[in-house]
Amino acid sequence: MEIAVIGSINMDYNNKVKSLPKKGETIVSQSFKMAGGGKGANQAITAKRLGKEVYMIGALGEDIAGDILFQELKAEGIDVDGIQRVKEPTGNAFITIDDMGDNTIVAYLGANAYVNREIIDRKKSVLERCQIIVIQLEIPLETVYYICSIGYDMGIPIILDPAPAASLSKDIYTSIHTITPNETELRSLTGEDDIERGAEKLLSLGVKEVIVTLGERGCYYTDGSLSTYIDAFTVDAIDTTAAGDSFNGAYAVALVEGQSKIDALKFANAVGSLTTTKLGAYDALPLRDDVEKFLKR
Ligand code: ADP
């Protein structure tokens, strides 16, 4: 197996509005769409659509949303053997997107809260055979810490997307290969507004490489010896949902392929940028062909 993604799977309920509602305000939606999401699933689908073998560990409810999402992930060609069904509602997110492509999200963990140590232990033999493990913070922190520690012991690089924003135990940084905060998440992790100083702090805590994603400005990379900004691509962004997730999935793919750092960051930026050009999560994640054509442009 090439890439393991351990994380959230959600049903997203998307409303498109002119401008985001203010506190106490009710507004009429211009369009509605129910669609699969969850940072873990978004990353897994990205890596699969970019041509890699993907094993997913996660949890879905024994409900209709769970049935739909299980079938969708399976139809993508993802190995769904690690997805457990539990007696809790499937995780969901209520997403509101405005005309500028900005969004607000209310998320309910639901079944995702049941991605625990036992599930990870049961699938350890599969994880041992993976080249890279990708995780985020939409499953219990305790599980995230456990994955970091066993990943480190097994010698498998971990990419952690520290989203949604949280502060983490100082002990886990040495077991993380790559951490990929956006600017808000960097602030939560380090207390720093300054991108380079924040990234430096994470390196000093023991992370091997830091990528700060900067939205339409692309990203900043540092591993202590190489430090560089890489521009995003200019696109007609209509919805930034899943841009960070696809960036992470793509970066994992590039690492497995042994792409140079600069190429890998460019590739991840291309995938992130392309994701903003379509509405929704799964629907917006590009195929390898689309990315190659986009990069040649
Ligand atoms: P998150 O979605 O986690 O907040 P970002 O907003 O930083 O993360 O986006 C992740 C990546 O997606 C960026 O590094 C960039 O490559 C791409 N991206 C995001 N927004 C845009 C945009 N408006 N135009 C072009 N690329 C974008």
Side-chain angles (χ1 to χ4, degrees):
M1 196 58 62
E2 291 171 310
I3 297 174
V5 178
I6 308 175
S8 57
I9 316 169
N10 287 336
M11 188 58 94
D12 288 351
Y13 300 88
N14 299 284
N15 271 303
K16 188 114 177 49
V17 299
K18 246 186 145 34
S19 54
L20 299 173
K22 300 189 180 49
K23 189 174 173 182
E25 188 184 13
T26 300
I27 53 171
V28 175
S29 171
Q30 295 170 323
S31 69
F32 172 75
K33 191 167 184 185
M34 185 173 133
K39 291 181 186 301
N42 293 341
Q43 294 171 339
I45 293 175
T46 302
K48 182 68 205 169
R49 289 189 187 168
L50 295 176
K52 293 290 158 282
E53 288 174 359
V54 178
Y55 185 78
M56 172 133 201
I57 296 182
L60 288 166
E62 291 170 351
D63 49 17
I64 292 167
D67 291 343
I68 294 171
L69 292 169
F70 188 83
Q71 286 312 325
E72 278 195 56
L73 294 170
K74 201 169 156 189
E76 285 287 336
I78 291 166
D79 187 333
V80 292
D81 163 75
I83 298 177
Q84 312 286 307
R85 303 299 292 271
V86 299
K87 289 195 188 314
E88 260 293 305
T90 292
N92 62 53
F94 285 83
I95 303 174
T96 311
I97 306 146
D98 72 11
D99 274 353
M100 307 297 290
D102 287 320
N103 62 42
T104 62
I105 304 177
V106 178
Y108 175 63
L109 271 185
N112 295 307
Y114 289 77
V115 180
N116 55 28
R117 200 179 164 128
E118 288 76 57
I119 293 182
I120 307 300
D121 278 340
R122 247 180 275 145
K123 303 300 174 188
K124 212 167 156 184
S125 59
V126 186
L127 291 178
E128 260 160 6
R129 287 183 271 116
C130 291
Q131 293 176 41
I132 208 155
I133 299 176
V134 187
I135 48 176
Q136 352 68 38
L137 304 179
E138 285 183 334
I139 56 172
L141 263 190
E142 207 180 81
T143 313
V144 169
Y145 293 165
Y146 184 61
I147 296 163
C148 288
S149 93
I150 63 164
Y152 185 74
D153 289 345
M154 296 188 296
I156 301 172
I158 303 250
I159 299 181
L160 171 67
D161 179 6
S167 70
L168 299 174
S169 155
K170 298 255 182 306
D171 303 335
I172 71 152
Y173 288 105
T174 48
S175 52
I176 298 168
H177 187 276
T178 309
I179 193 162
T180 60
N182 65 17
E183 289 167 277
T184 312
E185 292 147 9
L186 183 71
R187 202 172 304 124
S188 301
L189 295 173
T190 65
E192 286 284 352
D193 281 325
D194 184 86
I195 296 159
E196 296 176 27
R197 267 210 309 270
E200 201 57 48
K201 247 189 188 172
L202 293 174
L203 285 185
S204 71
L205 289 166
V207 179
K208 290 193 185 51
E209 47 178 47
V210 180
I211 303 172
V212 185
T213 65
L214 305 169
E216 62 185 353
R217 289 175 291 133
C219 63
Y220 171 73
Y221 172 92
T222 182
D223 58 17
S225 54
L226 172 68
S227 300
T228 181
Y229 287 87
I230 306 277
D231 285 340
F233 293 78
T234 306
V235 292
D236 220 343
I238 58 160
D239 174 16
T240 58
T241 307
D245 307 336
S246 70
F247 182 100
N248 278 271
Y251 189 70
V253 167
L255 283 193
V256 165
E257 290 177 354
Q259 293 189 29
S260 75
K261 277 288 118 89
I262 302 292
D263 284 349
L265 295 163
K266 238 171 106 177
F267 183 72
N269 264 339
V271 172
S273 298
L274 267 176
T275 302
T276 69
T277 62
K278 287 194 184 149
L279 194 61
Y282 298 177
D283 286 352
L285 303 170
L287 292 165
R288 184 71 185 233
D289 274 358
D290 302 330
V291 182
E292 298 298 343
K293 276 189 207 129
F294 182 73
L295 281 168
K296 279 203 193 99
R297 244 187 19 188

